[in-house]
Amino acid sequence: RRRGRLKPLAVWIVALAVGALLAAPQLLPSYQLASLSQRAGGLEGEFFTSYSFHPLLISTFVSPFALGNPYPQGSVELMAYLGLLPLVLASVAVWRARRPSARFFLALAASGLVMAFGRWNPLYHYLERVPLFNLFRVPARYLCWTSLGLALLGGYGWDALLAARPGTTSRLRWLGWVGYGLVLATGAAVAVVCGLDADSLVAAWKWLPLLMAAASFAVLASAGRVRPPAWAAMAIALLLLDLYAYGAVLDKTYNATHPLDQVRAEPLSVSVLRDDPDLYRIYTKEEILPALAPLRESLYPNIAATYGIASANLYMPLVPAAYGDYLADLNAQRLSLLNVRYYLVPQLLPVDEASELYDVSNPFADLPYHETVDIRATHLSGLIVESYLSHSADLPDGALAATVYLQTDQGDEISLPIRAGLESAEWAYERSDVQRVVAHARTP
């Protein structure tokens, strides 16, 4: 008898050991990296609770885009939409299902939601002292528990309603036709709105939940009044329509992709950088998340690696602690020690001085506008002035943008004018939206 009880345990231990050995080539380096990373001693403070799920975001389970267009201000970390019908079916499971497992999945869903609150959960900060738990950030990822719990509860609700026998003499059989009608109306509405642009589609989601909710409750009310195969087809059709309309928004925002020919085309910045034969690194400004085109052209992490260009900044799930501390207080001297020669700043589209001008400056260089810079006496045989004009597409040829004044050791003054179309030009001259309105020539 003892052998009979121990055999399953022994098999389980052996299977676990074999699995660990098979995974060792991944587990051991990951352990080594984790011990050198910022998470070695556990995460702390704001980083530990970053991407917490605000309690008011519970409304997004019903209206997923209540806050408007999710990109780029929102985050997929905070999205846990299942569709309205699964929520309705889950409520049926809580009301009707008598299985002990239903209570377990309800507790799982509730626990995931409470954990996802993160910084808005007064007990969550105590997890900073709990080993293993204190290695992971993004509390909103506990919504995986919520999604799993609600999905299983929805399945129990489905079983309960599908088992209901259709009434042959019920006076409410017309509810089935109401359900069919609302599902068809939902399908027609989804077909129309999914052809709209992203902003219009998000706007349509202000009223789509009302239609989805009406159809969901009609499906619920028609259970037992239409035959099970017909009821199942109606419910599945509504769920697919709901999730398809939801996915259409993400398809035009977060999941938007480049055409294949643009993906295969090498960024123009790469051809410029390859003209420099020396060893160097680039650094790309990450404070803004640009559109796809400037994202590729600025070699946003980790695009530079695709073309064999060394970059000082990379995106890594586990950041080595020393590297992270070094970049946290970056300045020109530290960039120099990293051998950074080129600083790339991705730009938002289109040109908008009010929202974009802050981003054209280089925080690692002193830009001496509105002040005089004294340079010690220097012997030179020639002087090259490199410049570009920013947000200046309306300047005509010859318009004076700046003047560089030089004084010789004999006291003679030399002035070098920088004029639009002659010595300098709009930095984004090649961009299609600029070329349509630019009023000066491109400089030689």
Side-chain angles (χ1 to χ4, degrees), residues 50-53 74-80 137-143 254 315:
S50 59
Y51 293 98
S52 295
F53 191 76
S75 171
V76 290
E77 301 281 8
L78 305 175
M79 298 180 189
R137 67 184 187 102
V138 190
R141 291 176 184 170
Y142 285 106
L143 290 173
Y254 268 103
Y315 178 79

Side-chain angles (χ1 to χ4, degrees), residues 29-101:
S30 296
Y31 174 77
Q32 182 184 20
L33 176 58
S35 63
L36 296 172
S37 76
Q38 294 172 320
R39 308 189 186 203
L43 302 178
E44 296 180 355
E46 292 294 319
F47 191 60
F48 179 62
T49 58
S50 59
Y51 293 98
S52 295
F53 191 76
H54 195 283
L56 293 180
L57 289 177
I58 293 176
S59 61
T60 59
F61 280 93
V62 177
S63 180
F65 307 111
L67 300 180
N69 194 320
Y71 183 85
Q73 285 76 26
S75 171
V76 290
E77 301 281 8
L78 305 175
M79 298 180 189
Y81 186 69
L82 284 83
L84 287 177
L85 185 58
L87 293 180
V88 173
L89 294 175
S91 64
V92 172
V94 174
W95 175 42
R96 286 192 182 184
R98 299 291 181 264
R99 306 181 191 180
S101 54

Side-chain angles (χ1 to χ4, degrees), residues 267-434:
L268 294 176
S269 53
V270 172
S271 61
V272 175
L273 293 170
R274 281 182 177 158
D275 288 340
D276 190 334
D278 294 337
L279 291 174
Y280 64 87
R281 288 190 178 98
I282 66 168
Y283 183 83
T284 303
K285 185 174 183 179
E286 296 184 68
E287 277 72 9
I288 63 170
L289 183 62
L292 291 176
L295 186 143
R296 292 188 73 247
E297 287 293 339
S298 63
L299 303 180
Y300 211 77
N302 297 325
I303 298 175
T306 306
Y307 302 99
I309 294 176
S311 175
N313 51 335
L314 296 170
Y315 178 79
M316 294 175 285
L318 288 176
V319 178
Y323 171 75
D325 293 341
Y326 190 90
L327 292 187
D329 190 22
L330 206 56
N331 53 38
Q333 183 181 15
R334 290 192 172 195
L335 283 176
S336 179
L337 291 174
L338 285 171
N339 197 26
V340 170
R341 183 171 297 178
Y342 299 99
Y343 177 65
L344 282 68
V345 183
Q347 296 294 307
L348 296 169
L349 295 176
V351 171
D352 176 15
E353 184 172 358
S355 63
E356 189 181 324
L357 188 57
Y358 78 94
D359 197 50
V360 300
S361 63
N362 181 349
F364 303 113
D366 294 323
L367 299 180
Y369 50 85
H370 304 308
E371 63 182 68
T372 300
V373 177
D374 293 324
I375 303 174
R376 62 183 176 83
T378 304
H379 295 285
L380 44 90
S381 57
L383 181 68
I384 297 176
V385 178
E386 294 186 5
S387 69
Y388 64 85
L389 307 181
S390 179
H391 301 282
S392 59
D394 58 336
L395 291 183
D397 283 329
L400 185 65
T403 303
V404 176
Y405 294 98
L406 304 175
Q407 191 175 50
T408 67
D409 53 356
Q410 287 84 21
D412 298 329
E413 189 176 85
I414 302 171
S415 62
L416 303 176
I418 299 178
R419 298 161 293 182
L422 298 176
E423 289 84 23
S424 195
E426 165 67 42
W427 72 270
Y429 199 95
E430 291 184 333
R431 253 174 37 188
S432 58
D433 59 329
V434 174

Side-chain angles (χ1 to χ4, degrees), residues 257-271:
T257 57
H258 264 317
L260 184 58
D261 58 336
Q262 293 185 30
V263 173
R264 288 175 172 169
E266 185 177 88
L268 294 176
S269 53
V270 172
S271 61

